[in-house]
Amino acid sequence: MARHLVIGNGKILVNLDQNCYIRDIYYPFVGQLNHVGGQYCRFGIWAAGQFSWLEEPDWTFELGYVEDSLVTNIIARNDRLAVELHINDGIHQRESIYLKRVVIRNKADDEREFRLFFHQDLMIDGSEVGDTAAYYPDNHTLFHYKRSSYFMFNGFSDEGGMVQYTTGIKRFHSAEGTWRDAEDGTLMGNSISQGSVDSTMSFRTVVPAGGEKTVYYWMSIGKDLEEVKSLNQYVQDSHPEKLLSRIVIYWKHWLHRAEIDLGDLPPEVARMFRLSLLIVRTQTDERGAIVAANDTDILQYNRDHYSYMWPRDGALIADAMSAAGFQSVIAPFFHFCAQTLSPEGYLFHKYNPDGTVGSSWHPYIVQGSRRLPIQEDETALVLFALWKDYIRNQVIELPQSLYNNLIRKGAAFLSEYIEPALSLPKPSYDLWEERYGIWTYTVASVYGGLMAGAFFTELFGDYERSDHFRDTARMIKEGMLKHLWDEETGRFARGLIQKDNFWVKDMTLESSLFGIWDFGVLPVDDSRVVSTMNAIREGLSIRNGIGGVARYTNDYYFQQSGDIDNVPGNPWIICTLWIANFDIESAQGLADLEGPRKALEWAIEHALSSGLLPEQVHPGDGTPLSVAPLTWSHATYVQTVSRYAAKYAELAVVK
């Protein structure tokens, strides 16, 4: 379950799997309206009478990207067919155009004819109902449409444009789809179909023995037929080879603002740092939504997905990108949050990329008692990340534009949503969205959010409000030290839960307790922080040789092992790097950075072959689990590298 390659430009996102098949097309929002829905847009080859789809077992792949770009770099080999394909996929940096370049290398001793077949299996606007697929004779293309979503497909080889095409019915009664029609090397030429439909097209070339030929294929997306015709003509006039080269050039320039002095980190860590920046960009909509993940295979396990903007993920990702120098990329995120803030001043559980409230499992009432169905850390973290961005970049126009709504209203909510008997925030759902109570991570984030509110209100001369937010934050800190520190175990509790009208400590060991120092409640060298982080390192590390750190003891989500003593949960990329961040912040000398460096290398070792990072790692064999890529994983990698580089520079001077 993963998307091995992702490409996009902020308004279109295309995901490909390990067989180089398109599995998801998101447009016009990143993460919203999936026009493929996880189906297979197949890619196949006919070679001198033999046919093969690239999903067949005799294909081997090398998956990756052109260095420092969002253009794929793939080698697909088939010894049975004596052919090698070099493939590049890219999304135009500005327009809604997908481009594919396929170099066919003939490994046989004789000249052969090759035919490439491209299969378009769309579910326009997320549904197979009412689609149309048709041949368009004016420009010799195929196009699919429904309502205001149009997709036009074209290409050419040295022999000319599309040589065969067909449209037809798919997944209805006995019809599998037009891809089956391709397997004899010839398409029937049906010119239009409506309903649950697909299409297939082919291109022909003759390749000499030991030689190579290139085939180009592209897709234009727009709101009507005229728009996709215009984009299609743009590709033909510009030539897809030149457009792919420009995409590479653009992303290399985009990366120029990233830190290049990474201390003693090895080249593979630096490469993953740059790739992670690019991957985060693909998951960020140009209108502000930073989407958690867009791997629709998760639908097999729960009829929902990760294609939402969680304010928690978004804030932490924005903070990492800001630290890496990409403030302009994430500034729209804060405007998105301001526009979606509730009238009461809090952010909801999650949002669709268009700003509407997303699906939720947080109830409004439980056993007759009303609840506010939120995770309070999500509101707090947005304010915290915004202040950190201002400190780094000193762009005062951004917080000024957000002051009256996001900053003042958000901080006011945090200051009022208080359990007076405990001097702590009222109960809400935890950062993992699993349980209801007063959580140490949430309390720490609220402290950070209130201090951010105090700093901003002071910055703009609103001193009375600033004093109020600061005083409330100090009160919460005192309540946290009184009620959430556990003297017997020598560490902080995960939180407080209510039993029989009494507040009881939940002492489950929890990796998110790193927030105590990361959000500024206590310094990293405070003895209570040190003992808590050491307990996490000792109790949540995976001890069976795979390595990594679990979320918490006996984590049930995708649980793979019942050996809780050695495998308290699946290792998560983010949790492993949280420990690394603590070690970086605590480092007194360069030798202390060895552990964080190894953690960064561990993450690379457990990435997909293409370099994409998953959410979790299988504790038995080290393979990716859950969704991939997870934006939060890549952003935490960026954050850890940025912190490492800064710490290395600091310690190298001391040395």
Side-chain angles (χ1 to χ4, degrees):
M1 176 169 41
R3 294 296 179 258
H4 285 67
L5 297 158
V6 297
I7 49 178
N9 65 3
K11 56 187 172 185
I12 175 174
L13 171 67
V14 173
N15 296 337
L16 297 95
D17 66 14
Q18 70 273 22
N19 300 311
C20 309
Y21 289 174
I22 292 176
R23 300 290 301 281
D24 307 287
I25 300 172
Y26 293 97
Y27 168 88
F29 293 92
V30 172
Q32 188 170 331
L33 292 183
N34 187 344
H35 304 284
V36 176
Q39 301 300 329
Y40 296 85
C41 293
R42 289 173 167 85
F43 172 34
I45 187 168
W46 181 94
Q50 298 184 78
F51 186 89
S52 178
W53 294 112
L54 268 68
E55 68 197 76
E56 293 173 10
D58 47 3
W59 286 96
T60 61
F61 296 89
E62 295 177 20
L63 304 177
Y65 291 86
V66 174
E67 187 83 3
D68 293 346
S69 81
L70 283 172
V71 172
T72 69
N73 190 26
I74 302 162
I75 300 175
R77 297 185 179 91
N78 190 312
D79 293 336
R80 177 178 63 85
L81 297 180
V83 67
E84 185 174 281
L85 305 178
H86 285 226
I87 305 167
N88 304 109
D89 307 84
I91 300 292
H92 192 278
Q93 65 273 19
R94 182 183 64 253
E95 306 292 351
S96 296
I97 299 169
Y98 163 84
L99 298 154
K100 191 179 197 78
R101 173 181 181 261
V102 183
V103 177
I104 305 170
R105 293 185 174 171
N106 182 9
K107 296 296 185 178
D109 295 330
D110 57 328
E111 180 179 84
R112 292 187 294 167
E113 177 188 356
F114 291 88
R115 303 173 192 171
L116 291 186
F117 288 81
F118 297 92
H119 168 234
Q120 292 82 222
D121 187 350
L122 302 189
M123 299 170 55
I124 299 176
D125 295 352
S127 167
E128 297 173 306
V129 177
D131 289 3
T132 299
Y135 171 67
Y136 192 67
D138 287 11
N139 58 11
H140 191 48
T141 63
L142 288 177
F143 77 105
H144 292 222
Y145 73 92
K146 181 164 61 187
R147 293 188 288 270
S148 58
S149 298
Y150 279 71
F151 303 79
M152 181 166 279
F153 303 92
N154 202 359
F156 66 83
S157 70
D158 61 325
E159 299 276 341
M162 177 173 62
V163 293
Q164 300 178 68
Y165 69 86
T166 197
T167 69
I169 303 299
K170 67 182 182 192
R171 292 189 293 278
F172 186 70
H173 294 316
S174 61
E176 293 183 81
T178 59
W179 59 280
R180 283 296 190 192
D181 185 31
E183 292 176 345
D184 62 356
T186 304
L187 297 171
M188 65 185 297
N190 186 46
S191 64
I192 192 167
S193 298
Q194 61 89 29
S196 179
V197 298
D198 66 348
S199 67
T200 304
M201 62 201 305
S202 73
F203 304 90
R204 174 185 182 276
T205 188
V206 177
V207 186
E212 64 180 44
K213 291 286 186 70
T214 301
V215 176
Y216 298 96
Y217 167 83
W218 63 88
M219 168 181 61
S220 307
I221 308 178
K223 63 183 181 300
D224 55 35
L225 183 59
E226 292 307 309
E227 183 174 4
V228 293
K229 283 167 57 181
S230 175
L231 292 173
N232 173 74
Q233 190 62 48
Y234 168 69
V235 176
Q236 291 182 305
D237 293 344
S238 302
H239 199 285
E241 184 75 33
K242 291 181 179 178
L243 293 179
L244 280 166
S245 296
R246 291 173 192 169
I247 296 170
V248 172
I249 291 168
Y250 174 82
W251 290 114
K252 286 182 181 292
H253 285 305
W254 185 86
L255 280 171
H256 279 177
R257 76 191 93 170
E259 176 63 60
I260 57 173
D261 183 3
L262 301 181
D264 65 346
L265 289 173
E268 59 269 22
V269 172
R271 192 175 301 114
M272 176 61 86
F273 171 64
R274 297 192 299 273
L275 176 61
S276 291
L277 288 165
L278 290 166
I279 297 304
V280 172
R281 182 66 188 90
T282 67
Q283 310 300 301
T284 303
D285 188 88
E286 64 182 6
R287 286 141 293 198
I290 301 175
V291 183
N294 290 290
D295 174 1
T296 49
D297 276 357
I298 194 70
L299 289 166
Q300 299 171 17
Y301 298 86
N302 180 15
R303 296 307 294 174
D304 210 339
H305 46 70
Y306 280 41
S307 295
Y308 296 103
M309 198 288 285
W310 274 266
R312 170 206 59 218
D313 293 44
L316 296 172
I317 293 163
D319 180 43
M321 293 297 283
S322 168
F326 291 82
Q327 197 260 356
S328 62
V329 174
I330 52 88
F333 162 77
F334 295 108
H335 287 289
F336 182 103
C337 292
Q339 292 160 9
T340 56
L341 194 74
S342 73
E344 296 82 6
Y346 59 82
L347 288 162
F348 285 99
H349 179 189
K350 53 192 168 86
Y351 294 87
N352 297 304
D354 65 359
T356 54
V357 176
S359 63
S360 180
W361 51 89
H362 296 337
Y364 284 83
I365 190 166
V366 175
Q367 296 178 344
S369 298
R370 294 172 64 90
R371 288 183 180 178
L372 194 60
I374 64 167
Q375 297 158 220
E376 193 180 1
D377 65 291
E378 299 202 283
T379 305
L381 288 171
V382 172
L383 297 180
F384 180 74
L386 182 61
W387 176 252
K388 288 181 70 179
D389 177 73
Y390 173 72
I391 290 298
R392 293 186 193 104
N393 298 295
Q394 298 293 303
V395 180
I396 199 169
E397 291 85 357
L398 179 60
Q400 176 59 53
S401 66
L402 301 165
Y403 183 64
N404 284 336
N405 189 18
L406 180 64
I407 294 171
R408 280 178 42 176
K409 286 177 65 176
F413 171 77
L414 297 178
S415 71
E416 295 162 3
Y417 198 65
I418 300 295
E419 191 74 30
L422 299 173
S423 297
L424 291 172
K426 287 183 178 181
S428 69
Y429 288 91
D430 69 344
L431 82 158
W432 307 124
E433 309 154 85
E434 295 173 346
R435 52 193 62 83
Y436 187 76
I438 298 174
W439 309 107
T440 301
Y441 178 88
T442 303
V443 173
S445 72
V446 170
Y447 174 88
L450 279 169
M451 290 303 293
F455 295 144
F456 275 127
T457 46
E458 182 178 3
L459 179 71
F460 294 118
D462 195 346
Y463 300 119
E464 289 184 10
R465 190 174 270 110
S466 178
D467 289 343
H468 170 63
F469 293 154
R470 187 177 282 103
D471 290 344
T472 308
R474 288 171 178 159
M475 177 191 71
I476 287 173
K477 178 177 178 177
E478 291 171 4
M480 177 178 173
L481 298 178
K482 178 179 179 181
H483 298 292
L484 290 165
W485 170 256
D486 186 71
E487 193 66 41
E488 182 178 349
T489 59
R491 64 175 175 86
F492 280 95
R494 172 159 71 176
L496 300 173
I497 53 176
Q498 204 161 29
K499 291 185 177 180
D500 300 324
N501 294 319
F502 291 97
W503 289 103
V504 179
K505 288 177 184 173
D506 179 348
M507 293 306 299
T508 306
L509 194 56
E510 164 71 69
S511 63
S512 70
L513 296 176
F514 84 97
I516 298 165
W517 62 268
D518 204 32
F519 305 146
V521 182
L522 293 173
V524 74
D525 59 356
D526 185 281
S527 61
R528 291 161 293 189
V529 168
V530 173
S531 61
T532 299
M533 295 303 295
N534 286 339
I536 293 170
R537 189 197 312 276
E538 175 64 25
L540 294 180
S541 292
I542 311 304
R543 297 189 185 88
N544 65 353
I546 291 297
V549 176
R551 289 196 301 173
Y552 53 80
T553 304
N554 199 17
D555 184 357
Y556 75 94
Y557 189 49
F558 284 100
Q559 190 175 67
Q560 304 294 315
S561 172
D563 181 12
I564 303 305
D565 289 339
N566 292 307
V567 184
N570 300 332
W572 281 51
I573 300 292
I574 59 171
C575 302
T576 305
L577 295 178
W578 287 344
I579 294 291
N581 283 329
F582 170 72
D583 290 340
I584 291 168
E585 294 299 319
S586 304
Q588 299 297 309
L590 292 176
D592 296 330
L593 295 176
E594 181 181 359
R597 186 168 59 250
K598 287 182 177 179
L600 289 165
E601 293 169 345
W602 177 88
I604 295 174
E605 292 167 5
H606 294 90
L608 278 68
S609 61
S610 58
L612 272 56
L613 293 173
E615 177 185 72
Q616 307 175 43
V617 172
H618 194 295
D621 58 20
T623 56
L625 272 179
S626 191
V627 295
L630 183 75
T631 316
W632 195 359
S633 293
H634 280 283
T636 308
Y637 197 91
V638 167
Q639 177 194 54
T640 307
V641 171
S642 298
R643 278 181 159 163
Y644 186 104
K647 193 67 163 186
Y648 185 92
E650 173 190 324
L651 295 175
V653 171
V654 173
K655 180 182 177 182

